């Protein structure tokens, strides 16, 4: 109802301003008005019917909280029914104030916001969707999102972020969609994964990532889609952990675009998922990380098989994780972006489970066959040696027996000759 109509009714009925303000219908009408209409209506009520000073004070006391509580920033458009605040493309340099505390969706994309200070959204603790894409954000306070415990979707795409503090998403446990694409991120801290356990989509495309922290990936147990394209991935021994994780992730039915290598030169523009493991064989002799990654990988497979058989459950129903990546977990991830810089600072004692992988199963069979073949050759050599030894001993025994028989025959001949000699002498 327009303020002019209400003013006409007020003058025609000669009702006092206080009585009219106390009317429920008027309160509802005022609450549905915009800021400008509310101001005009309040001014009309205060000047109508010769209201006294006390009446004016009472009207202000009644209407001011109502006006403040249902305010909408003049730079934005608000919908009180859907609790959506739209501030897109308004040339804003900062987060607008006087936001309604019941706001559930706030759209701030296509502005000129350069940073987020501490508790920047403290006025809207119930917000579920927060879109800050396509701004000029270069820094975010570690406590900028403090208090947003119901936040589900956060978009920081198309900004100029170089790093994120590991405490930024700490208080948020309900986040399901996080878009960080088209920034300048060098990496993500591994401990941030503790706040992303319910994440279903993660956008990391078109940043400056050269590797990704293993512990961060393992924490994303509910991840359905992942975008990684457009990053300068360095496909060396330190990235084989990501390759192993991607195999498990795809085995679970996850969706990922591509990981195209930028370095070294001989792997440039090749998809990491399609590079055969044979090209990483040099890592076996030059990097302990490769060895540890495969040890943990095989151990996790063994544990997974035992756990699955013990519970008669499908492998996909269990939490699936991957082994330690080379250079990740030992020295942090993301090319130096908050995940550690060296040593084995993030090495975990508890290894998590992953399903049986076809390639590693085939490799296990081949290794087993080689070992069995070596054992068979050794047994064959032992048999040949035994047979040769037995043949030589048999020949030796035969010759020895033959010599003994010959010696016995010669002794008998000498005895016969000795017996004949005395007889011949006696005859003579």
């Amino acid at each position: 109802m327009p303020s002019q109509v209400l003013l006409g009714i007020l003058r025609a009925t000669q009702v006092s301003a206080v009585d009219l303000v106390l009317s429920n219908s008027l309160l509802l009408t005022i609450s549905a008005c915009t800021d400008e209409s509310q101001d005009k209506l309040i001014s009309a009520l205060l000047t109508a019917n010769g209201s006294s000073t006390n009446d004016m004070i009472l009207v202000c006391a009644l209407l001011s909280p109502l006006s403040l509580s249902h305010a909408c920033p003049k730079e934005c458009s608000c919908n009180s029914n859907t609790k959506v605040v739209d501030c897109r493309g308004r040339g804003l340099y900062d987060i607008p104030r006087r936001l309604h505390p019941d706001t559930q969706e706030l759209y701030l994309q296509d502005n000129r916001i350069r940073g987020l200070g501490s508790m920047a959204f403290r006025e809207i603790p119930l917000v579920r969707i927060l879109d800050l894409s396509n701004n000029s954000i270069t820094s975010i306070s570690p406590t900028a999102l403090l208090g947003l415990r119901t936040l589900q979707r956060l978009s920081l795409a198309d900004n100029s972020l170089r790093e994120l503090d590991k405490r930024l998403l700490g208080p948020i446990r309900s986040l399901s969609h996080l878009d960080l694409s088209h920034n300048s991120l060098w990496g993500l801290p591994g401990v941030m994964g503790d706040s992303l356990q319910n994440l279903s989509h993660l956008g990391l495309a078109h940043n400056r990532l050269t590797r990704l922290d293993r512990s961060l990936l393992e924490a994303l147990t509910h991840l359905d889609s992942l975008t990684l394209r457009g990053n300068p991935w360095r496909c060396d021994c330190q990235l084989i952990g990501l390759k192993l994780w991607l195999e498990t992730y795809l085995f679970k039915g996850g969706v990922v675009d591509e990981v195209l290598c930028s370095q070294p030169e001989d792997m440039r523009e090749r998809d990491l998922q399609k590079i055969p493991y044979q090209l990483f064989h040099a890592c076996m002799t030059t990097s302990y990380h490769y060895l540890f990654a495969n040890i943990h990988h095989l151990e996790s497979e063994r544990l997974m098989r035992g756990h699955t058989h013990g519970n008669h459950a499908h492998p996909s129903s269990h939490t699936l994780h991957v082994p330690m990546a080379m250079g990740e977990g030992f020295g942090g991830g993301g090319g130096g972006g908050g995940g550690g810089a060296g040593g084995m600072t993030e090495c975990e004692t508890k290894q998590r489970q992953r399903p049986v992988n076809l390639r590693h199963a085939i490799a296990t069979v081949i290794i087993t066959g080689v070992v069995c073949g070596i054992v068979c050759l050794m047994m064959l050599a032992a048999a040949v040696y035994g047979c040769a030894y037995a043949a030589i001993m048999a020949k030796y025994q035969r010759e020895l027996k033959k010599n003994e028989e010959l010696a016995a025959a010669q002794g008998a001949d000498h005895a016969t000759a000795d017996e004949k000699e005395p007889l011949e002498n006696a005859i003579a």
Side-chain angles (χ1 to χ4, degrees):
M1 184 181 298
S3 58
Q4 292 82 356
V5 176
L6 285 175
L7 182 58
I9 294 174
L10 181 63
R11 289 173 176 173
T13 58
Q14 298 297 317
V15 179
S16 68
V18 175
D19 293 336
L20 192 58
V21 167
L22 293 176
S23 171
N24 290 333
S25 61
L26 181 60
L27 290 174
L28 293 175
T29 303
I30 295 176
S31 65
C33 293
T34 61
D35 286 349
E36 185 177 358
S37 299
Q38 287 180 9
D39 294 339
K40 291 180 179 179
L41 185 55
I42 292 172
S43 299
L45 287 172
L46 291 176
T47 58
N49 296 334
S51 299
S52 64
T53 303
N54 293 334
D55 289 343
M56 292 181 181
I57 296 174
L58 183 56
V59 168
C60 291
L62 291 172
L63 292 181
S64 294
L66 182 64
S67 176
L68 290 175
S69 63
H70 291 269
C72 179
K74 61 181 180 180
E75 307 92 347
C76 309
S77 61
C78 305
N79 190 321
S80 58
N81 295 325
T82 59
K83 301 178 181 179
V84 174
V85 179
D86 190 351
C87 307
R88 291 176 290 184
R90 305 300 174 92
L92 300 176
Y93 287 92
D94 200 357
I95 307 299
R97 299 303 178 189
R98 295 183 63 193
L99 293 169
H100 196 289
D102 290 338
T103 300
Q104 294 190 4
E105 299 181 19
L106 178 59
Y107 297 97
L108 290 167
Q109 58 265 46
D110 304 322
N111 283 290
R112 301 175 183 177
I113 301 173
R114 296 182 179 179
L116 300 178
S118 178
M119 298 187 67
F121 304 97
R122 57 182 175 274
E123 294 181 350
I124 49 174
L126 302 180
V127 66
R128 296 184 296 106
I129 299 177
L130 181 58
D131 194 334
L132 291 159
S133 59
N134 197 23
N135 279 275
S136 302
I137 301 175
T138 58
S139 63
I140 300 179
S141 170
T143 57
L145 304 179
L146 191 64
L148 305 185
R149 297 184 178 275
T150 61
L151 187 62
Q152 297 178 5
R153 299 174 66 91
L154 174 62
S155 177
L156 292 168
D158 292 285
N159 282 284
S160 302
L161 294 171
R162 290 181 176 272
E163 61 180 359
L164 293 179
D165 192 278
K166 62 183 180 181
R167 298 167 292 175
L168 178 63
L169 302 176
I172 305 174
R173 302 293 177 176
S174 57
L175 198 63
S176 61
H177 183 103
L178 178 60
D179 191 355
L180 299 171
S181 57
H182 293 277
N183 279 280
S184 300
L185 294 172
W186 291 91
L188 294 177
V191 295
M192 185 176 285
D194 296 336
S195 303
L196 304 178
Q197 295 180 359
N198 294 317
L199 200 67
S200 59
H201 172 79
L202 177 60
L204 295 173
H206 299 284
N207 280 279
R208 297 183 181 180
L209 300 173
T210 57
R211 60 181 61 93
L212 206 53
D213 198 321
R214 172 192 62 88
S215 60
L216 172 65
L217 297 173
E218 288 187 344
L220 308 180
T221 55
H222 294 87
L223 193 65
D224 295 326
S225 60
L226 175 65
T227 58
L228 296 172
R229 68 173 54 181
N231 285 285
W233 301 105
R234 183 177 179 83
C235 298
D236 55 11
C237 296
Q238 295 184 352
L239 203 64
I240 195 172
L242 176 61
K243 179 176 176 65
L244 295 172
W245 182 87
L246 286 174
E247 288 188 356
T248 301
Y249 178 67
L250 295 173
F251 177 83
K252 293 165 54 181
V255 178
V256 65
D257 45 9
E258 58 186 1
V259 180
L260 293 182
C261 303
S262 294
Q263 298 178 3
E265 191 63 31
D266 57 346
M267 293 188 184
R268 187 175 181 84
E269 298 301 324
R270 296 187 63 178
D271 193 343
L272 178 65
Q273 304 173 52
K274 299 178 182 179
I275 297 177
Y277 279 97
Q278 286 77 3
L279 297 182
F280 291 98
H281 277 179
C283 303
M284 298 181 65
T285 57
T286 60
S287 176
Y288 286 107
H289 299 305
Y290 183 92
L291 177 61
F292 284 129
N294 283 279
I295 290 175
H296 290 302
H297 176 67
L298 296 175
E299 179 65 14
S300 298
E301 285 187 348
R302 185 185 66 80
L303 293 175
M304 185 61 189
R305 288 194 295 269
H307 184 66
T308 302
H309 292 310
N311 293 278
H312 304 285
H314 193 274
S316 61
S317 64
H318 299 284
T319 302
L320 303 175
H321 298 281
V322 296
M324 184 178 302
M326 293 169 301
E328 304 166 12
F330 288 90
M344 300 167 58
T345 57
E346 296 184 13
C347 183
E348 299 178 3
T349 56
K350 180 180 179 181
Q351 295 302 318
R352 300 174 180 173
Q353 302 165 352
R354 59 168 290 148
V356 177
N357 183 278
L358 181 59
R359 290 185 180 180
H360 290 278
I362 295 175
T364 303
V365 172
I366 293 175
I367 293 173
T368 303
V370 171
V371 173
C372 292
I374 294 174
V375 173
C376 291
L377 290 175
M378 293 176 64
M379 295 177 63
L380 180 61
V384 171
Y385 175 81
C387 292
Y389 179 80
I392 293 172
M393 291 301 297
K395 182 178 180 181
Y396 173 77
Q397 292 294 334
R398 287 196 299 270
E399 291 179 354
L400 182 61
K401 186 175 181 180
K402 183 177 180 181
N403 292 334
E404 290 178 351
E405 292 177 351
L406 183 59
Q410 291 177 354
D413 292 338
H414 287 299
T416 304
D418 293 338
E419 290 176 356
K420 290 181 177 180
E421 186 176 354
L423 181 60
E424 294 175 350
N425 292 333
I427 296 174

